[in-house]
Amino acid sequence: MSEHAERMTAGSAPRPLTRRDRRRMQEGALVRILTVCTGNVCRSPVAATVLAARLADLPVVVHSAGTHAPVGQSITPQSGRIAARAGADDDAIASHRARYLVEPMIAEADLVLGMTAEHRDAAVHLMPRKQRNVLAVREFAALSATLTDDQIAATAHAAGPIPAQRVAAAVAAVTRSRTLSEAQDVIDPYRQSDAVYEQMANELLPAIDEVARVIRVALRG
C-alpha cells in the first residue's frame, strides 16, 4: 500500500459509503461533496458536518480532508462547539477523524470546496481535470449569490432528473463568471483564541448556507 493510500484509510469519513451508495454514485443518484482545509480538524469538518445537516433530507454525502492532516485526530473542541451550534449532528462531530487529501477523494466528488484559494489550488494540482468542480467556499458563495433560485432551478431542470447531473449543471452556472481573484479565504483558527474561531465561523457559515441553497434548489427546485 502506498503512503497516500495508508493516509487515506487511516482516518474515517463522517458516513462511510455503503455498496449501495457506490452504486448510486455510479448512476449519478448520489451527490458527493468534499470540503478541504489544511489539518482537517478545524474548518473543513465544520463545513462538512454543517453542510451535511443542511442537506440531510437530500441524496447528498458530505465529507472532508486536509492537505496536511494529522491523520486520525479529532475535530478541535472549539470547532466542534461551532458545528454543534450551527446544527451539525452530534455523532458526526464526535466521530470525525482527520484524513489526508488524496486523488480518489477528488475524483469521486461532484463538488470540492477549499477553505482557501491555496486549498482549492492544491486539489486542482492533484487532479487538474476536476478544475471546474473545485472552488474556494467563499468564492462559490460570492458567485452563486448572483443567481436567483429560479435561475438555478431552470439550469438544473434542463440537465434532467439525475441528481449528480443537476448539481453539475448548477455548479457550471456558478462558475461561468469565475475569476481566480474572486476567492476569499476562511481564516485558520488552529491553536488560536476563541475570538479567531468566531471569526472563522462568521466567514464560513454564511458561505455554507449559500452552498446549501444552491444544492437544495438544484435538487428540489
Side-chain angles (χ1 to χ4, degrees):
M1 181 181 292
S2 70
E3 179 183 3
H4 270 185
E6 289 174 353
R7 285 171 169 168
M8 181 175 65
T9 57
S12 61
R15 181 172 78 79
L17 287 177
T18 64
R19 183 176 300 176
R20 180 171 178 269
D21 285 338
R22 293 197 176 278
R23 184 174 66 252
R24 293 176 71 199
M25 280 177 57
Q26 292 173 352
E27 296 169 350
L30 186 67
V31 175
R32 194 159 168 84
I33 300 173
L34 173 67
T35 65
V36 179
C37 69
T38 303
N40 193 212
V41 294
C42 297
R43 291 167 288 181
S44 59
V46 171
T49 56
V50 173
L51 186 58
R54 298 281 192 273
L55 302 174
D57 58 321
L58 298 174
V60 178
V61 172
V62 190
H63 64 144
S64 62
T67 57
H68 295 81
V71 173
Q73 186 168 311
S74 302
I75 191 172
T76 63
Q78 298 97 322
S79 283
R81 289 192 292 270
I82 287 169
R85 190 178 71 204
D89 180 76
D90 289 340
D91 289 340
I93 297 168
S95 64
H96 173 77
R97 297 295 180 271
R99 300 190 305 162
Y100 196 90
L101 179 68
V102 291
E103 291 91 336
M105 297 177 187
I106 303 168
E108 291 181 343
D110 297 290
L111 175 62
V112 179
L113 296 168
M115 299 300 102
T116 69
E118 181 181 354
H119 302 132
R120 174 198 65 194
D121 295 346
V124 171
H125 179 74
L126 282 175
M127 189 155 289
R129 68 179 177 84
K130 298 285 285 190
Q131 180 174 2
R132 293 185 178 182
N133 304 83
V134 183
L135 297 94
V137 65
R138 296 182 74 190
E139 173 188 24
F140 184 102
L143 293 171
S144 63
T146 66
L147 299 175
T148 67
D149 287 0
D150 287 345
Q151 289 172 317
I152 296 167
T155 298
H157 180 73
I162 298 174
Q165 292 179 0
R166 293 176 69 89
V167 168
V171 171
V174 169
T175 60
R176 198 163 290 140
S177 60
R178 179 186 189 185
T179 65
L180 293 180
S181 63
E182 292 179 88
Q184 292 179 297
D185 294 348
V186 176
I187 194 170
D188 185 359
Y190 186 60
R191 293 181 175 174
Q192 301 297 317
S193 67
D194 287 350
V196 179
Y197 272 91
E198 288 303 316
Q199 181 180 346
M200 180 268 288
N202 291 336
E203 293 173 352
L204 175 58
L205 294 178
I208 290 301
D209 286 340
E210 182 62 21
V211 174
R213 177 184 77 92
V214 172
I215 301 302
R216 178 168 295 281
V217 172
L219 294 178
R220 290 282 187 260

